[in-house]
Every structure is written in structure tokens, then in C-alpha cells.
Amino acid sequence: MYSLVIFGASGDLTSRKLIPALYNLFRKNRLPQPIRIIGFSRTPMEDETWRNKLLETTRQFTGNLFCETTWSTFAPCLYYHAGDIGNTDSFTSLSALLNQFEKEHQSEVTETHRLFYFSTSPQFYAAGTEQLGVTGLSTESLGHTCRVVIEKPFGTDLESAKKLNENIHQRFDESQIYRIDHYLGKETVNNILVLRFANAIFEPIWNRNYIQNIQITANENLLIGRRAPYYEKAGILRDMFQNHLLQILTFVTMEPPARFDAKAIRDEKVKVLQSIRPFTEEEVLQNSVRGQYRSYRDESGVKKDSQTATYGAVRLFIDNWRWKDVPVFLRSGKGMPCRSTQVVINFRQPPHSMFSGTLSDLMLQGNRLLLQLQPAEGIQVHFMTKIPDTEMKIRTSELNFNFKNSFSGEMPDSYERLLLDAIHGDASLFARSDEVEAAWRIIDPIQKTWDEGKMPDPEFYESGSTGPVQADRWIESFDENWFDLCPLV
Ligand code: BG6
């Protein structure tokens, strides 16, 4: 018997992502049975009222995958429990409800699995896990598991992340904790592991001898809109770098794990994060730039003199044998010309050019491997070819692989993968406590230098442009260029 409790049942994430993902898993027969999904929030509501609300939002967010008949068999799994996350009585009654469900099914199944999903504001994570502990809901026994899933942001800096880890560890063992980063549920992010470790041709050249630089970009055309109260405090580093960009970086740069299991993978990720050179203030000034889209200060809830960055670029170095002196550029911005998350591996030029002194030599470029993570999911290899019917003139050509053309069906949303893994107790795609802390250790000095006014103010850029002009000059100062591609669709 599986019970999934969602704290923050009336929030946006629940209706936009969690319930549609659970509905899709149910539709594909992937959800274990029997299962109860219990929404927990303050507003008193009948089960039926919650189901009706979710019917509308799930229809909206699953689009043409929605089917009334399937919904009518899924909806009876949904229950609602009104409660206050800081109140012991609310958890005692929740516990009684879970016991009752399990009793109803005890003749069919003896094992019981409970998953508590914190989709609340982060300030409630500690209080909620504490109440689960107080009421005995965190205790596992033979044939009975209890897990917590914690949404991002996990802390706002190293100190708060450590404190939160300490609080949760008072009630839950690390093996019960699933810290979610939805980028790790994206098929194309997982495909980085397959590309690197299920093929023999890439790994031998995946190092400082062949790679000149790595660029990881997560750009969005979205503006901040209604999220200003959160975003004003977070900014681009906390919102995108500490989690999503560094997670992608670990997949691109970690050593091959011995096995595809949670410990082996997470050990390698932590090792690479710990090898990233921590910056002094002086180094932050040299190795980062920031910007703000011009209309940001007009958004409701944003201070008129806000220094919050909506664009950032950082140059990191991984001090280990594989990556010594290979710059890794991370970049993310809101209000960009298009949504595009990509990894660009820029290879070195051939060590010696036989075309030296000719026009061809001038056209020679290093090879490039482009991993388009979203939205036009695919992989491209850029290489030099001779232009037919010319003297020895050359230019860059592309080999293009596109998931859409090669596989049928819709790309699943990342929450489907992650919810299923958490339900089944596979933590490979969730961040461990030391991993989260290692990521904050990298971001903290940058954020601190930015916050303390040691940097020039964020440069304004027009929304829809490619970001601050300074970001181009900055990368050019290292004799590099951004490789940009608005996605091929
Ligand atoms: C979230 C950030 O974690 O990721 C948002 O808080 C951002 O600011 C979002 O827009 C991007 O996610 P995706 O899956 O749309 O790339």
C-alpha cells in the first residue's frame, strides 16, 4: 500500500506539476497499486472539492493527454486533509487517516510505504519534518518505509542549508531524504550519462587534452512576473546556478561511476563539486558578470533600486587531473530571446594544421559537441568539411540527432521520473546533503561579493536581447565566444 502526502496541496506546483505527473503515471500504468494521494493544506475542503479543482488544472496542464475516463478512475485515489504544518494535532489526525487507509488494504498487501512531499514554502520544511517525527510518522520498520521529498530551494546559503540538514536529520536518516532538483528528472539531462558512459567514443577525448572549454547555458524568455517576492531575495545565482546549472555540470564532468546506483553516482558528483576552485573576492570580480533586464524594476514587488541579478555568467575551474585549466562557463538569464538549455563542448583545434598559410587554415575551427537539453532536444556534432567544387575551401558542417525524429511519444515531464523514483526508493537522481552543501560552498563567495556591492551594479539589458553587452566582452577577454543557438525545432 502506497500513501503519498503532499504538503502545500493548494499551491501552484501541486496543480501544475505534481498532480499532472501522477495522473500521467497512472495513465501509463506506472503507479504502484493500491495508492492514496493525500493533499494537506490549511484551507478546509472536502475530498470532492479538491478533486474537482484538480480536474480543471490537470485537464489544462496535460493538454491532449487528458482523458475523462482515465481521470474518473484516478480521481478516487485523491483525498484531502486540512491541517496546519506546525500543529501536532493536524499530524495526529493525518496519521490516523493513513492508518485507516492501510487497514482497508491489509488483506491485499502487507507492506506499507509512505512518501511525504514538501511542496510548501521552504520556511515550513523544518517544522513539517519535526511534526512528522513527533507523531511517529518518520519511523520505519520491517515492511514499512517513510520518505520525505524536499523541493528546492534547499537553504539560501551554506549556513542555512547546513542548519536545515541538521534539523531534518534529527527526525530522518539521510537514506529517507529525497532533495529534488527537477533538472535531474529531464530525459536529456539523464542522457548525458548515457552519452558519456554507454558509448566508447566520447570518454577517451572527454578531458583537458581535447576539450578547450565547456559552456552550460539555461536561458529563458520568461520574465519574473508574479514571482517577484521570491525572486528579489533569490536572484539568478540561487535560483538557477546553485542547483540546476551545477547539477548539469556534475553530469558533464564527473568521473565514471562504477555502477548506476545512488551511492556511486552521488559520490562522484560530490567529488567533482569539491574539486571546483573556491573563489576569493578578487577572483569573483574576474570570473563573473551579472545583469538585470531593464523592466525588472517595474515588476510588482520589485524595489525601484533592486540590485537583484536576472542574468549571470560565471567561469569556474575544476582542479583535478581531468579538467585542470579547462574553463567551464555557466550562464543563465531571464528575458532572453528564446528558451534554450544547452551544453556546448568546444574541442581544441588540431595540434598541427597542414593547411597552414592558406585560406582554409583561417576557416579552421575546433570541433563542437552540442547537447540541446530543451526545448529542441537533440545532439549535434560540428566538424570541418571540404566545400565541394572549390579548391581546398572548408567550412563547418553538422551531424544532427533529434529525439523527436528518433523516438515516438511525448517527452515525459521531469516530475514523472522523479516521483516514480522517490516512490520506489531510488535516490540516484536526488541530491545528498553533502552535495547540496558543496554546491553552496561554490556559490556563497560569488553571491556574497555580488551582494556586498563590490561588483559594478548589474548591467541593464533589454528583455528579448542576448543579455548584457558586458557578458560578451567578458568572455572575449578570455579569447572565447559564447556559442548560441536558439533551438532548432
Ligand atoms: C525553477 C526556477 O527551478 O526552474 C525558475 O525557480 C525557472 O526560475 C525554472 O524558470 C526553469 O525550469 P524549466 O524546467 O522550465 O527549465
Side-chain angles (χ1 to χ4, degrees), residues 8 31 67 128 156 183 250 270 341 378:
L31 276 189
C67 159
T156 52
Y183 268 55
T250 61
V270 171
T341 308

Side-chain angles (χ1 to χ4, degrees), residues 181-361:
D181 182 318
H182 77 279
Y183 268 55
L184 291 182
K186 292 185 190 281
E187 295 292 321
T188 46
V189 173
N190 280 288
N191 191 55
I192 298 173
L193 298 186
V194 178
L195 180 91
R196 288 190 59 198
F197 306 131
N199 294 295
I201 61 171
F202 298 110
E203 210 43 30
I205 55 169
W206 209 263
N207 56 52
R208 65 191 304 275
N209 298 330
Y210 295 91
I211 293 178
Q212 179 160 326
N213 70 66
I214 298 173
Q215 299 180 8
I216 302 176
T217 302
N219 279 343
E220 294 174 279
N221 44 2
L222 280 180
L223 303 180
I224 301 305
R226 290 190 299 135
R227 301 178 70 218
Y230 152 75
Y231 198 85
E232 267 286 86
K233 293 203 199 98
I236 199 80
L237 285 178
R238 293 192 179 99
D239 189 49
M240 294 296 289
F241 281 65
Q242 187 273 341
N243 35 67
H244 309 325
L245 289 179
L246 284 179
Q247 286 294 339
I248 298 174
L249 175 146
T250 61
F251 274 22
V252 174
T253 58
M254 71 184 185
E255 294 301 313
R259 290 170 306 283
F260 188 76
D261 77 27
K263 179 165 181 346
I265 292 177
R266 300 195 297 180
D267 283 350
E268 294 304 341
K269 288 169 72 188
V270 171
K271 265 201 264 173
V272 82
L273 288 173
Q274 287 174 342
S275 308
I276 292 178
R277 197 180 301 166
F279 283 150
T280 60
E281 190 180 292
E282 187 60 25
E283 285 164 333
V284 172
L285 300 178
Q286 285 163 10
N287 290 297
S288 67
V289 277
R290 60 179 178 162
Q292 189 184 72
Y293 64 81
R294 195 176 291 282
S295 57
Y296 176 69
R297 293 178 186 182
D298 302 332
E299 307 269 17
S300 124
V302 172
K303 288 203 256 43
K304 287 296 159 219
D305 59 350
S306 171
Q307 293 290 307
T308 302
T310 59
Y311 177 101
V314 173
R315 183 175 76 138
L316 295 176
F317 289 97
I318 303 170
D319 286 339
N320 63 18
W321 278 53
R322 186 189 283 264
W323 296 116
K324 184 79 184 164
D325 294 334
V326 176
V328 183
F329 293 93
L330 304 185
R331 173 177 59 149
S332 180
K334 307 274 185 208
M336 296 283 107
C338 68
R339 175 170 181 248
S340 161
T341 308
Q342 61 181 35
V343 178
V344 179
I345 311 285
N346 283 312
F347 289 91
R348 295 190 189 284
Q349 294 217 357
H352 166 73
S353 167
M354 65 183 262
F355 305 108
S356 156
T358 67
L359 197 57
S360 301
D361 193 47

